């Protein structure tokens, strides 16, 4: 079939049926929102416990974990990772549960990026 008459042709190439002008609708893939996981300083949780948490739940080397622990200690708070909502929630729960089981007051929260 020829494509001369826009009223008769199929519209697979998104040709405007009235004008014959080719149009394009850009497929928009939505990225899911990301969440920052924050670790908060306190006066009681031992430094080595925080370092252990960062190694265990956030996959950091000892050196990375120690460095970031010191940032939290000095500045009061730091982002320890950015994740999907579900993963961020799991990380926060793991940290809070581990801290509670060891009776440390360590606080971990999440917020939308
Ligand atoms: N401020 C704590 C101390 O001096 C160490 C600490 C670091 C606690 C980071 C919590 O998220 C934290 N023992």
């Amino acid at each position: 079939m020829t494509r001369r008459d826009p009223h008769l042709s199929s519209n697979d190439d998104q040709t405007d049926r009235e004008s014959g002008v080719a149009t394009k609708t850009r497929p928009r893939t939505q990225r899911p929102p990301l969440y920052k996981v924050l670790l908060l300083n306190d006066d009681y949780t031992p430094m080595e416990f925080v370092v252990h948490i960062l190694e265990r739940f956030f996959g950091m080397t000892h050196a990375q974990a120690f460095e970031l622990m010191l940032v939290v200690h000095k500045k009061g708070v730091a982002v320890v990772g950015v994740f999907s909502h579900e993963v961020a929630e799991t990380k926060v729960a793991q940290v809070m549960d581990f801290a509670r089981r060891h009776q440390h007051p360590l606080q971990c929260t999440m917020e939308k990026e």
Side-chain angles (χ1 to χ4, degrees), residues 39-42 45-47 50 69 72-73 106:
L39 204 59
L40 279 63
N41 188 38
D42 66 72
T45 305
M47 289 185 171
V50 178
M69 179 280 296
V72 181
H73 176 71
L106 183 64

Side-chain angles (χ1 to χ4, degrees), residues 2 13 38 51 55 62 68 81 87-88 100:
T2 61
D13 64 351
L38 307 165
V51 171
E55 291 172 329
H62 190 79
L68 193 48
V87 173
R100 185 192 53 75

